[in-house]
Structures are given as C-alpha cells and as structure tokens.
Amino acid sequence: MRKAGSERGSVLLLTIGLAVLALLVVLVVVDASTAFLQRRSLAGVADAAAIAGAQAVDLDRLYADGVAAGIVPLDGAGVEAAVRRQLSQSEAGRAVPGFALESVRTDGRTVTVTVRGALDLPFAAILPSAAPRVLRVTAHARLQLH
C-alpha cells in the first residue's frame, strides 16, 4: 500500500517541463518564420533587380543578328547600370538590414544577380555566435520572346 503523499509535486514538475518545451518550440518557430520572411523579402529585391537587368537589350546586336531562339541579346554595361538603378530606386538598402549587392553577371542572354542581407533573428541572439548571420540570394532573369 502506498503512502498518501508519495507523489506530491509530480504534476507540477511535469507541467513546468511541458511549459519549457512549449516555450522552446515557440522560439524556434518564431525564428524560422522570421528567417523565411527575411529571405523572401531579399529574394523579391533580387528578382526585381534581375528583371530590370534583363530589360537592358543590346540594340546593336539585336538589329544586326536578330533574335536567336527567341532570346534577346543583352548589353553587359547596360545590365549592371539597370540593376543598380533598380536597387537605388527601390531603396532596398532601407528595407533589408545589411543589404549589399554582391554581383551582377550576364552571359549576353541571362542576368544573374546576387544580393545579401543580415539575418536578424529575434531569439537567436540568446545563443552566442562568432559568425554573423547572413542571407545570400541569387536571382536569374532572361528576356525571351515567344
């Protein structure tokens, strides 16, 4: 036969343990959601910049050679200028913390834009980390006629 008070306080310990576990799950979900939304915002900026760059048509090559396989030739210098103009007009630096344009490349047909921004997680600051958290996003665009 058991003593009447032998299990006293066990429900309280179980409740505290479950509350701590639930709190940890909430913290992880909030950080993961924040990372997803920040990445999506940065991807939108990169996509807009790549699309702007893909509209920098090399008119001399277009008139001389025409459209090969429906793909419009691009002007290398015009691509970078269009990307930088788009980024300055959209004020991406203010919308995304730590924003920087890493690279603009074109092969004459496709534009590739790589941007980065700081990953600012609300609860990851609790954990010490020597390396800064950085998001990098690459977007590709091609102007193609059908």
Side-chain angles (χ1 to χ4, degrees), residues 1-145:
M1 198 168 200
R2 290 186 179 178
K3 292 183 179 179
S6 66
E7 293 183 17
R8 216 176 149 138
S10 61
V11 173
L12 178 63
L13 287 176
L14 183 61
T15 304
I16 290 172
L18 288 175
V20 168
L21 182 64
L23 180 64
L24 288 174
V25 168
V26 167
L27 296 179
V28 168
V29 168
V30 167
D31 274 354
S33 298
T34 301
F36 172 77
L37 292 173
Q38 288 178 359
R39 185 184 187 295
R40 195 165 91 172
S41 174
L42 193 60
V45 170
D47 286 341
I51 290 169
Q55 294 175 12
V57 176
D58 185 348
L59 294 177
D60 294 335
R61 275 185 41 211
L62 180 65
Y63 292 138
D65 302 335
V67 177
I71 299 170
V72 179
L74 301 176
D75 175 27
V79 166
E80 184 156 354
V83 166
R84 291 187 183 282
R85 186 171 45 253
Q86 168 64 30
L87 291 175
S88 69
Q89 288 175 352
S90 69
E91 299 180 358
R94 292 184 192 159
V96 178
F99 177 80
L101 174 63
E102 284 198 347
S103 68
V104 178
R105 294 185 312 275
T106 183
D107 60 2
R109 299 169 30 157
T110 303
V111 176
T112 303
V113 176
T114 303
V115 295
R116 76 169 189 261
L119 180 58
D120 186 23
L121 301 176
F123 298 111
I126 296 170
L127 302 173
S129 174
R133 294 174 183 93
V134 176
L135 285 173
R136 274 188 186 76
V137 176
T138 300
H140 307 279
R142 177 185 293 173
L143 185 59
Q144 191 165 353
L145 302 175

